[in-house]
Amino acid sequence: MSEQHWIDLRSDTVTQPSAAMRAAMAEAPVGDDVYGDDPTVDRLQDFAADLFGFEAGMFAPSGTQTNLIALMTHCGRGDEYLVGQEAHTYKYEGGGAAVLGSIQPQPIANQPDGSIAVSDIAAYIKPDDMHFARSRLLALENTIGGRVLPQDYVKAATDFAHAKGLATHLDGARVCNAAVKNGIGLRAAVAGFDTVSVCLSKGLGAPVGSVLLGPKAFIEQGKRWRKMLGGGMRQAGVIAAAAHYALEHNVERLAEDHQNALDLSQGLGRIEGLSATTPQTNIFYVEIPEAACAQLREALAAQGIRASIGPHTRLVTHLDVSKADVDKVISVFKAFFKDWRA
Ligand SMILES: *Cc1c(COP(=O)(O)O)cnc(C)c1O
């Protein structure tokens, strides 16, 4: 089975390292990074910091960890961060900020475009009063659910937060998708944020790892939390080499994933009984009749297609999904719904 080419639309985390990426991993010089001795980790951290316009970078095993390290470095016990209800750092990280950081989240409703209204941010910042947690940080996410935050919004929200004395963190797990979609550079895409977390293991195609970027002193402080959280890694250059390769080679090509997502959404949307959202990047949603889901899941699996099929299905394209794969998925869906009756 390992030889079979699955068309896997569950997430952009499922990519296989390419032969060139594996070669870079095999050839990487390594050392013990807890001693600061791994040249490949250092090279990745410097490269990423420069690419996004920050002083320093820190490589960590996951985006969950880089986000948590950022929250714990920005906020202390009894502080709070303002964050969207739909945000990964609030909703999908096991409550880590509260559990491990003693940091109170102040969740705020996301607008349909994924933003948090600046007027809501203003309303939720708490005055300096012993009854309240101390509002310390605004955390945004871009892309969020595949949606790209408007650049003028990012500027307005981060300017406002800074004017109110808050720091700003971006969960930029997919910020490269946002930059490519907007046709802007990576530095421009993260402007306004004091710190940024970037996933290398999503659409960029590395097997593992994220980087946290920020001021040098912040990153040094963050390394203590990383160690405490179990993220101190030894000969991590083996995986840092893959992450470096991903950042060097796989950013511009995200445009192909966006085009494939658009083609797939349009092809599926034309099938009677289905409706699909229009993707801005590589993620979109399809409404599927609930009664069809179980059989559809089987029909797809029989054709080598994996997808998290449900009434509200998220589909994700990535560098292991080709244009031909998209055409095949559309034809398998078509054939299924031609025969299927509720
Ligand atoms: C995947 C993801 C993360 C966390 O990354 P892991 O490496 O899976 O821990 C954080 N934020 C967003 C928006 C993500 O999509």
Side-chain angles (χ1 to χ4, degrees), residues 266-275 330 333-334 337-338:
Q266 289 174 343
L268 297 183
R270 276 194 287 270
I271 296 171
E272 205 188 317
L274 301 184
S275 70
I330 294 168
F333 266 82
K334 259 191 198 155
F337 282 101
K338 196 162 150 278

Side-chain angles (χ1 to χ4, degrees), residues 3-339:
E3 293 300 309
Q4 180 175 352
H5 169 62
W6 284 95
I7 302 172
D8 196 335
L9 301 167
R10 292 172 300 173
S11 177
D12 49 7
T13 55
V14 300
T15 56
Q16 294 283 323
S18 65
M21 183 180 278
R22 285 174 187 270
M25 297 171 77
E27 289 157 14
V30 298
D32 188 330
D33 185 54
V34 175
Y35 286 102
D37 283 351
D38 192 304
T40 304
V41 171
D42 289 345
R43 191 169 150 262
L44 165 68
Q45 291 173 163
D46 292 348
F47 179 74
D50 182 60
L51 195 60
F52 288 90
F54 285 88
E55 264 177 28
M58 177 197 321
F59 186 49
S62 71
T64 299
Q65 192 172 97
T66 43
N67 279 327
L68 180 56
I69 291 166
L71 295 174
M72 291 176 73
T73 309
H74 281 295
C75 303
R77 188 173 189 216
D79 292 346
E80 72 169 11
Y81 69 113
L82 281 64
V83 62
Q85 284 281 3
E86 300 168 28
H88 204 279
T89 61
Y90 171 62
K91 194 174 175 184
Y92 300 101
E93 296 181 7
V99 175
L100 300 168
S102 301
I103 303 160
Q104 165 171 288
Q106 169 59 69
I108 302 174
N110 289 94
Q111 300 299 310
D113 68 358
S115 67
I116 312 169
V118 175
S119 56
D120 285 343
I121 298 171
Y124 280 104
I125 294 175
K126 295 168 185 55
D128 183 3
D129 176 317
M130 70 162 91
H131 293 85
F132 301 130
R134 289 173 298 250
S135 304
R136 281 277 190 242
L137 175 72
L138 172 67
L140 297 179
E141 183 174 316
N142 196 17
T143 64
I144 177 162
R147 292 161 297 186
V148 180
L149 296 181
Q151 271 307 116
D152 54 354
Y153 163 76
V154 171
K155 176 153 176 41
T158 54
D159 281 352
F160 181 79
H162 285 144
K164 293 290 177 183
L166 268 60
T168 55
H169 172 70
L170 177 67
D171 178 354
R174 296 188 180 85
V175 71
C176 297
N177 295 84
V180 167
K181 173 64 183 187
N182 279 341
I184 60 175
L186 297 177
R187 290 181 178 205
V190 300
F193 292 99
D194 299 311
T195 58
V196 178
S197 162
V198 182
C199 283
L200 293 327
S201 62
K202 300 270 167 81
L204 298 183
V208 61
S210 285
V211 284
L212 178 61
L213 307 168
K216 199 167 170 15
F218 184 98
I219 295 298
E220 282 313 306
Q221 233 183 309
K223 283 183 182 170
R224 298 179 76 91
W225 295 124
R226 183 182 66 176
K227 185 70 188 140
M228 186 188 291
L229 295 170
M233 297 184 287
R234 303 298 181 177
Q235 284 71 35
V238 174
I239 50 176
H244 195 130
Y245 183 94
L247 268 180
E248 239 178 346
H249 295 94
N250 292 343
V251 174
E252 294 306 322
R253 64 149 307 285
L254 291 170
E256 294 170 36
D257 300 342
H258 301 171
Q259 185 62 49
N260 282 336
L262 186 62
D263 293 346
L264 183 55
S265 73
Q266 289 174 343
L268 297 183
R270 276 194 287 270
I271 296 171
E272 205 188 317
L274 301 184
S275 70
T277 62
T278 301
Q280 294 178 25
T281 56
N282 66 326
I283 300 176
F284 67 98
Y285 294 85
V286 192
E287 306 298 325
I288 297 174
E290 186 152 18
C293 287
Q295 276 172 276
L296 175 61
R297 212 174 291 124
E298 276 177 38
L300 293 173
Q303 296 294 322
I305 300 164
R306 285 187 172 133
S308 311
I309 296 298
H312 186 63
T313 294
R314 183 185 83 152
L315 296 177
V316 186
T317 57
H318 51 75
L319 84 178
D320 288 347
V321 175
S322 67
K323 173 72 182 125
D325 292 339
V326 165
D327 293 341
K328 176 172 171 180
V329 172
I330 294 168
S331 66
V332 173
F333 266 82
K334 259 191 198 155
F336 177 85
F337 282 101
K338 196 162 150 278
D339 297 337

